[in-house]
Amino acid sequence: DGVTEVLARHSENLQDKFIEIPCSEDYDSHKRFEGCTPRKCGRGVTDAIITREEAERIRRIAERGLSLGGSDGGASILDLHSGALSLGKHFVNLYRYFGNKIQDIFTEEDFALYRDVRQRVQQRIAEAFGIRSASMYLTKPTFFSRINNTEAKTTHDEYWHPHVDKVTYGSFDYTSLLYLSDYTEDFGGGRFVFMDASSNKTIEPRAGRVSFFTSGSENLHRVEKVHWGTRYAITISFTCNPDHGIGDPVL
């Protein structure tokens, strides 16, 4: 693992931290959208746009949705946009599988809060990279994740491998994570790690903390294995290509 540098400790309350890094060439193999496709690349962390109370409310949305299913392995996902929900070793469509019962699980207020939080994250990313928020589009997959220390049963459960979002999902240009639980209090392990040539840079999750970064190879990353407890987060992803845009979920 080499040298590890902590970019954001869970005990800190960070207004805004931003580190600019040179862009990789990944964006050149995709159609460029002027005023949106990254020309300035980097990574940022902020505890100033989502309150801990809001993060708690959002975590409860995740808990209620994931209580309907859950993976046999340690990593479960809930995608309110597509309806994808981990169930055993597979995925089901939440909306088709549970039908009208969904109205008993989620409320209009839940979805309104989800949309509001997504908009704030989008605005923050646009400001950090000097682009217009309107030139970015939400893209898939955007999803809740719940990770515990249960042994992986399928490759879908192996969340800890290093990867590049732009390579894995060609549509991604900007990636963000909203953490919904606290490192060392709710879970152990599970830190987010940028894997740089010189050293690893880690972010310790904290409820309400948003980390965001350009999605190319300049930000190769992984998540450490969770050793105990349960780690909740939302991955919220953005594209510059309107053809890959998705809408907010509606009840």
Side-chain angles (χ1 to χ4, degrees):
D1 266 347
V3 182
T4 298
E5 183 187 327
V6 180
L7 287 184
R9 295 186 187 282
H10 74 285
S11 54
E12 295 178 284
N13 190 343
L14 293 168
Q15 280 304 302
D16 273 310
K17 186 169 193 172
F18 184 79
I19 296 151
E20 191 169 345
I21 49 178
C23 292
S24 63
E25 294 174 1
D26 294 351
Y27 308 98
D28 299 338
S29 53
H30 295 264
K31 185 176 176 187
R32 291 193 77 91
F33 292 84
E34 278 314 312
C36 180
T37 299
R39 291 202 179 279
K40 170 185 177 180
C41 291
R43 51 187 73 146
V45 189
T46 177
D47 294 316
I49 58 169
I50 313 295
T51 67
R52 288 178 67 82
E53 189 261 336
E54 286 168 331
E56 207 167 284
R57 285 170 58 199
I58 290 207
R59 190 182 76 225
R60 287 200 290 271
I61 298 172
E63 287 170 343
R64 290 201 301 275
L66 284 159
S67 72
L68 298 171
S71 160
D72 287 346
S76 302
I77 70 139
L78 165 67
D79 181 334
L80 292 178
H81 303 266
S82 71
L85 171 71
S86 300
L87 188 66
K89 292 185 175 63
H90 308 283
F91 297 96
V92 294
N93 185 312
L94 177 78
Y95 301 119
R96 280 209 295 272
Y97 201 78
F98 294 99
N100 291 338
K101 287 190 199 148
I102 292 299
Q103 312 279 347
D104 303 330
I105 307 294
F106 305 118
T107 65
E108 291 290 357
E109 288 77 22
D110 291 338
F111 278 50
L113 175 63
Y114 183 93
R115 286 193 297 274
D116 180 39
V117 162
R118 189 271 304 161
Q119 284 162 354
R120 277 184 262 167
V121 170
Q122 183 167 345
Q123 188 61 44
R124 182 67 204 95
I125 293 173
E127 286 165 11
F129 291 102
I131 60 177
R132 286 188 316 116
S133 176
S135 67
M136 298 161 64
Y137 302 88
L138 193 65
T139 193
K140 63 182 184 184
T142 282
F143 59 94
F144 288 105
S145 58
R146 181 185 72 194
I147 306 175
N148 60 32
N149 67 351
T150 307
E151 194 181 325
K153 301 291 191 290
T154 71
T155 53
H156 292 297
D157 301 322
E158 296 182 19
Y159 56 85
W160 55 80
H161 298 296
H163 63 278
V164 172
D165 290 346
K166 187 79 182 156
V167 174
T168 307
Y169 315 103
S171 61
F172 280 32
D173 290 302
Y174 301 94
T175 308
S176 71
L177 291 143
L178 165 57
Y179 298 109
L180 303 174
S181 46
D182 291 305
Y183 173 67
T184 75
E185 289 176 39
D186 298 313
F187 62 91
R191 294 182 302 173
F192 185 93
V193 185
F194 289 112
M195 302 177 73
D196 296 344
S198 55
S199 72
N200 287 338
K201 314 279 197 307
T202 69
I203 291 173
E204 298 177 352
R206 167 190 163 101
R209 170 166 288 168
V210 176
S211 68
F212 57 90
F213 49 94
T214 44
S215 306
S217 301
E218 68 278 0
N219 282 313
L220 172 70
H221 61 275
R222 68 183 184 90
V223 172
E224 294 174 331
K225 286 187 179 182
V226 169
H227 302 310
W228 59 268
T230 307
R231 177 193 193 270
Y232 284 93
I234 317 182
T235 299
I236 307 175
S237 12
F238 297 97
T239 184
C240 295
N241 187 338
D243 294 345
H244 293 142
I246 60 172
D248 284 307
V250 285
L251 197 57

